[in-house]
């Protein structure tokens, strides 16, 4: 019914609007048409503002507050939802209560028991302008990228599983160091303690060299622990996990280094011209 009403309103506005505007502007003398146009625009905008305010008042005072996705109480309409943010891993019990518009005691509208997994998605992105791949396990960073807050990064549809916090990860999971280099404008990830320590030592030396000559540091800078992951032993992942391969575009000479991490065997095989650096993480299936 709402959709039908909107269609009828839209058709009516379209049929009435143009002839009405033409009649009003045609009735005004030529030297007054600028004023007439301003008055017409002012009246139209005033109507829109008042209409939006009136519609919001109707929705908040007439429609009942029932849960979206759950059973709707008789005589009420579901029209809103509440964002509770990201929850820590564990078991949860949710309840929704409300008071009917007709008055009376508060009623329980629905209950829901659910589980938040300890595992987190590591989501992959690609930027056409850079021809670079990037991945993140941070929910806030993923939201920012999805909203276009960091330029032209788009999801590739690829992801794998890891753990955001050490206390949620299984025994044997290793911290994954994250580095960023301003030169190639790229990120690098490693669960190798030796590789992480080596890059951090190189960063310290290169920062000192850059400062000594008054130049900005453009090398690999340590950003922290990105997530925790299981790692292969002798190139093999434990049972119940899938290998995450690392591929390198081999463009250090052009100051354009970039790595891609993928759990999909077909995507891994499709990385023609990239250096295959083998499995580096193990993703829970």
């Amino acid at each position: 019914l709402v959709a039908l009403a909107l269609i009828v309103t839209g058709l009516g506005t379209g049929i009435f609007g143009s002839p009405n505007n033409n009649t009003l502007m045609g009735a005004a003398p030529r030297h007054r048409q600028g004023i007439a146009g301003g008055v017409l625009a002012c009246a139209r905008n005033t109507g829109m503002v008042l209409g939006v305010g009136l519609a919001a008042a109707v929705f908040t005072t007439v429609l009942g507050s029932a849960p979206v996705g759950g059973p709707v109480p008789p005589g009420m309409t579901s029209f809103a939802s509440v964002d509770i943010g990201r929850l820590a891993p564990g078991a949860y019990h949710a309840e929704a209560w409300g008071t009917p518009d007709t008055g009376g005691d508060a009623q329980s509208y629905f209950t829901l028991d659910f589980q938040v997994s300890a595992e987190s998605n590591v989501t992959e992105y690609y930027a056409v302008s850079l021809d670079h791949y990037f991945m993140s396990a941070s929910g806030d960073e993923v939201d920012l990228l999805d909203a276009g807050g960091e330029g032209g990064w788009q999801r590739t549809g690829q992801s794998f599983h890891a753990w955001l916090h050490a206390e949620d990860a299984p025994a044997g999971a290793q911290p994954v160091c994250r580095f960023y280099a301003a030169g190639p404008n790229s990120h690098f990830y490693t669960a190798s303690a030796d590789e992480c320590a080596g890059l951090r030592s190189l960063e310290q030396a290169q920062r000192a060299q850059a400062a000594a000559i008054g130049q900005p540091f453009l090398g690999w800078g340590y950003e922290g622990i990105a997530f925790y992951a299981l790692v292969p032993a002798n190139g093999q992942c434990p049972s119940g996990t899938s290998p995450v391969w690392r591929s390198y575009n081999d463009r250090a000479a052009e100051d354009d280094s970039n790595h891609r991490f993928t759990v999909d065997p077909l995507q891994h095989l499709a990385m023609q011209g990239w250096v295959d650096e083998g499995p580096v993480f193990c993703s829970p299936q």
Side-chain angles (χ1 to χ4, degrees):
L1 291 178
V2 174
L4 180 60
L6 291 174
I7 292 174
V8 172
T9 302
L11 288 173
T13 301
I15 294 172
F16 171 78
S18 295
N20 181 63
N21 291 345
N22 183 62
T23 300
L24 291 173
M25 294 300 295
R30 183 178 296 275
H31 66 284
R32 299 281 187 178
Q33 286 192 349
I35 298 175
V39 172
L40 184 62
C42 181
R44 182 168 54 244
N45 290 334
T46 300
M48 291 175 61
V49 170
L50 293 177
V52 170
L54 180 60
V58 170
F59 271 97
T60 55
T61 58
V62 177
L63 298 179
S65 54
V68 172
V72 179
M76 291 189 168
T77 302
S78 176
F79 74 98
S81 62
V82 177
D83 184 3
I84 59 176
R86 291 186 175 83
L87 300 174
Y92 291 87
H93 175 79
E95 297 182 358
W97 291 72
T99 303
D101 289 340
T102 54
D105 296 333
Q107 300 177 13
S108 172
Y109 291 151
F110 81 99
T111 62
L112 178 67
D113 294 297
F114 60 96
Q115 187 84 22
V116 176
S117 174
E119 298 172 5
S120 296
N121 278 335
V122 182
T123 306
E124 184 186 59
Y125 292 84
Y126 176 72
V128 175
S129 59
L130 298 173
D131 191 21
H132 281 187
Y133 292 91
F134 171 74
M135 64 181 185
S136 178
S138 165
D140 291 340
E141 192 168 47
V142 165
D143 287 346
L144 179 64
L145 290 167
D146 287 343
E150 290 293 334
W153 293 99
Q154 300 291 328
R155 289 190 183 221
T156 65
Q158 301 293 314
S159 65
F160 61 90
H161 297 132
W163 297 267
L164 271 180
H165 308 290
E167 58 269 24
D168 299 325
Q174 300 298 312
V176 175
C177 297
R178 170 169 151 167
F179 294 85
Y180 172 73
N185 190 17
S186 183
H187 284 82
F188 177 73
Y189 304 79
T190 179
S192 166
D194 291 341
E195 202 167 37
C196 182
L199 282 174
R200 296 188 70 174
S201 177
L202 179 64
E203 174 191 359
Q204 187 176 13
Q206 289 182 341
R207 283 189 182 276
Q209 293 171 0
I213 60 175
Q215 295 294 322
F217 170 68
L218 302 177
W220 295 105
Y222 177 70
E223 291 190 329
I225 302 301
F227 51 86
Y228 293 79
L230 294 172
V231 296
N234 299 319
Q236 299 296 319
C237 283
S239 176
T241 66
S242 299
V244 179
W245 290 278
R246 186 170 77 192
S247 302
Y248 168 50
N249 67 354
D250 197 21
R251 290 183 55 83
E254 294 83 1
D255 197 21
D256 189 38
S257 295
N258 186 236
H259 294 78
R260 187 185 188 189
F261 300 77
T262 178
V263 72
D264 186 337
L266 295 179
Q267 292 290 323
H268 171 234
L269 293 175
M271 301 305 291
Q272 298 294 326
W274 290 52
V275 178
D276 183 359
E277 297 186 336
V280 291
F281 310 135
C282 299
S283 171
Q285 296 174 352

